[in-house]
Amino acid sequence: MSQEVKEYQMYIGGQFVESESKEKSQSICPGDQKVLASFPKGNAADVDKAVAAAKETFENSDWGHVRNSVERGKLLREISKSIRERLDELAEIESLDSGKTITETNLIDIHMAADTFEYFADLATQIYGEVLPVPADVLDFTWREPLGVCGAIGAWNFPIMFNAWKIAPALAAGNCAVYKPAELTSLSSLELAKIFDQVGLPAGTVNIVTGPGRSVGQAIAEHQDVAKVSFTGSTEVGRNILKSAGSNLKKTTLELGGKSPNIVFPDADMKRAVNGAMTAIFYNGGECCIAGSRLFLHEDIYDEFLGQLVERTQKIKLGHPSDWEARMGPMVTRDHQKKVLSYIEWGKKNGLKLLCGGNIPKDPELSEGNFIEPTIFAAEDNQLKLCQEEVFGPVLTVQKFKGEEEAIRLANDTIYGLASAVWTQDIKRAFRVAKKIKAGQVWINQYMIVTPFGPHGGYKQSGYGKDLSKYCLEEYTQLKNIYVDLSEDEMLVFYD
Ligand code: NAD
């Protein structure tokens, strides 16, 4: 990205525009605090305009009609192609804006966004109802219909991916959309807006409104003309979304926080499991909803496993988001860095054993960034704050267990239920544990794989509803039932 501060505008009704208030926000690189760009600080008036544009297109054009499904698929495929063509540029913008390493954005995030648009391009013509075998002389069938205007609100940790996860299925199903990216990481969504425009999405089909959660986010969640809100963010804000969405009983999908368990049995392939434990907590600097932030080790392998884990963790190279050698970047903001450090200080003062990390790195080259050393604590009590609350940073707690039942009990002892993993060569044990874990995702001998093909979403206070996969299309459609009378008999009459 060049040194000059880029100026962005929002995308409403097919136009690139300023906010009604003309106010601006800035994007600041978490690696060095340089100002990268400015973009509009939107408000409820901008949401009104965006929703009106989306409604106009939905109600007064062919966009959502089934006869347009091939065309919708083609446009989604064009978006995917354009994202791939701009891979290097988008990866750089995403990294500098969010602090994610260039390795992660260039090798994973941008591809995942493109893959998601491609996947839902293929599904655009595959959304249909069923004929139901009613035991009477009637034909009963269902239509899957679009909802209308779908609102969506994203978190800051996987910005371009969340945009794709919510916009692609909404459009495939024939809806129009209003998307609010997190104010900390809005740039990739504003770049996507340029792609939406270039490929020729009809004006109003997708609208990108940037700005704070309390104004723009809340206005989307409350809006009377928004039929559905898909939210990715914290459990706390998820509760507010639910209240706001009650205004017109809009459909909600809530992808919320996590405190995911990662269980290793003594027969696991240790090298793979150590790799998995590191990916689980240090990928994206631990700023991951599905982070495996609670590691449970069987007592027979506890010492050996921890020895390898700590040794390798101390070698993780921290670096500027643009550094191809870096394996962990900075925290998204100074405030977030402080919040994560405060959890670490709590751990140090409350009897947890610090095994590595626990500080701001001393390397002077990192002094301008919001860095934190990858940190591991040994913990004995699962009720401790550090074992229960989502830290959202590179902080792992490790606990010892004796048997399968204890591991499952500890794993489920949390308000969250987003993800989990089990490492063992015993296939029966793997399935037994997977069955008993209360989480929307279980990896067996793996951690972190996410694809557009599989559903993503939580149990318990990690939310409900699914992103991705064919299942998420249920979240973006409504079912209409049609009865056709085929009987030759007189209709049953109750009245003279
Ligand atoms: P957050 O809840 O603070 O914000 C998420 C989004 O909601 C942002 O766009 C924000 O501007 C908006 N918002 C804030 N207050 C709002 C309000 N009152 N009304 C409407 N919108 C509002 O979360 P965050 O800090 O951006 O992200 C971190 C959290 O997100 C973590 O808890 C993480 O686990 C969770 N997360 C969950 C998933 C998942 O798929 N389950 C994925 C990523 C992140």
Side-chain angles (χ1 to χ4, degrees), residues 153-157 162 180-183 212-214 217-218 231-234 237 240-241 255-258 289 390 392 418 456:
I153 300 170
W156 47 258
N157 55 335
F162 293 148
K180 184 197 107 57
E183 56 270 49
R214 282 189 188 283
Q218 193 157 332
F231 172 76
T232 296
S234 59
V237 175
N240 290 335
I241 297 283
E255 301 289 357
L256 309 178
C289 55
E390 186 184 39
F392 222 56
L418 192 56
H456 169 82

Side-chain angles (χ1 to χ4, degrees), residues 18-35:
E18 298 299 342
S19 163
E20 289 283 293
S21 72
K22 306 278 181 279
E23 283 189 75
K24 294 274 195 182
S25 300
Q26 285 186 327
S27 153
I28 294 171
C29 176
D32 52 26
Q33 316 305 326
K34 285 195 184 127
V35 177

Side-chain angles (χ1 to χ4, degrees), residues 223-293:
H223 209 290
Q224 293 294 317
D225 288 333
V226 173
K228 179 222 163 64
V229 62
S230 175
F231 172 76
T232 296
S234 59
T235 296
E236 191 191 344
V237 175
R239 282 188 237 283
N240 290 335
I241 297 283
L242 206 49
K243 280 190 209 134
S244 303
S247 62
N248 63 338
L249 297 181
K250 55 177 69 63
K251 243 174 134 89
T252 48
T253 303
L254 299 175
E255 301 289 357
L256 309 178
K259 191 75 182 169
S260 299
N262 189 15
I263 308 171
V264 188
F265 286 95
D267 61 343
D269 175 334
M270 187 160 314
K271 189 166 175 226
R272 284 181 72 94
V274 171
N275 277 335
M278 292 176 73
T279 305
I281 185 62
F282 300 127
Y283 187 74
N284 205 34
E287 293 172 329
C288 232
C289 55
I290 50 179
S293 49

Side-chain angles (χ1 to χ4, degrees), residues 30 94-95 97-106 108-109 155-162 185 278-292 316 318 321 326-332 336 340 370 372 374 391-395 448:
E94 188 82 320
S95 282
D97 193 28
S98 66
K100 302 164 83 73
T101 63
I102 189 73
T103 320
E104 288 175 17
T105 57
N106 200 297
I108 296 174
D109 294 31
W156 47 258
N157 55 335
F158 289 89
I160 196 167
M161 279 166 51
F162 293 148
T185 55
M278 292 176 73
T279 305
I281 185 62
F282 300 127
Y283 187 74
N284 205 34
E287 293 172 329
C288 232
C289 55
I290 50 179
I316 292 176
L318 273 61
R327 291 294 169 265
M328 230 180 76
M331 300 290 95
V332 70
H336 190 59
V340 175
N370 315 325
I372 293 184
V391 177
F392 222 56
V395 182
M448 208 55 93

Side-chain angles (χ1 to χ4, degrees), residues 270-469:
M270 187 160 314
K271 189 166 175 226
R272 284 181 72 94
V274 171
N275 277 335
M278 292 176 73
T279 305
I281 185 62
F282 300 127
Y283 187 74
N284 205 34
E287 293 172 329
C288 232
C289 55
I290 50 179
S293 49
R294 295 183 301 145
L295 177 64
F296 296 101
L297 297 177
H298 189 274
E299 59 181 358
D300 291 353
I301 50 159
Y302 184 85
D303 290 332
E304 190 188 344
F305 194 105
L306 263 192
Q308 291 189 26
L309 179 67
V310 169
E311 190 193 334
R312 291 190 49 200
T313 296
Q314 285 168 328
K315 291 185 190 151
I316 292 176
K317 181 173 160 31
L318 273 61
H320 191 275
S322 61
D323 177 357
W324 275 94
E325 301 299 316
R327 291 294 169 265
M328 230 180 76
M331 300 290 95
V332 70
T333 58
R334 279 273 191 242
D335 278 352
H336 190 59
Q337 179 197 34
K338 278 188 203 144
K339 183 178 162 200
V340 175
L341 281 170
S342 75
Y343 273 106
I344 293 175
E345 289 312 313
W346 187 95
K348 288 179 186 169
K349 287 189 189 124
N350 286 275
L352 280 91
K353 189 172 168 203
L354 182 66
L355 301 175
C356 66
N359 293 299
I360 292 176
K362 295 190 180 56
D363 182 349
E365 283 198 9
L366 302 179
S367 63
E368 295 301 314
N370 315 325
F371 292 95
I372 293 184
E373 291 173 343
T375 298
I376 304 179
F377 282 108
E380 284 179 8
D381 178 0
N382 197 53
Q383 287 310 310
L384 290 173
K385 167 175 154 144
L386 218 54
C387 300
Q388 290 289 327
E389 293 183 15
E390 186 184 39
V391 177
F392 222 56
V395 182
L396 177 69
T397 58
V398 188
Q399 289 169 260
K400 198 186 280 185
F401 69 89
K402 286 188 169 63
E404 195 175 303
E405 271 184 30
E406 185 190 10
I408 293 164
R409 181 176 54 74
L410 290 168
N412 285 335
D413 180 17
T414 161
I415 61 164
Y416 296 110
L418 192 56
S420 57
V422 51
W423 300 80
T424 176
Q425 305 287 348
D426 177 345
I427 191 76
K428 288 184 183 167
R429 170 154 64 196
F431 287 158
R432 259 193 327 266
V433 175
K435 184 106 187 127
K436 287 188 181 159
I437 285 189
K438 296 187 176 114
Q441 171 76 58
V442 183
W443 289 285
I444 296 176
N445 297 327
Q446 223 282 340
Y447 207 103
M448 208 55 93
I449 185 169
V450 176
T451 77
F453 298 82
H456 169 82
Y459 280 19
K460 302 198 283 186
Q461 293 187 40
S462 290
Y464 55 78
K466 298 293 172 194
D467 271 340
L468 300 175
S469 80

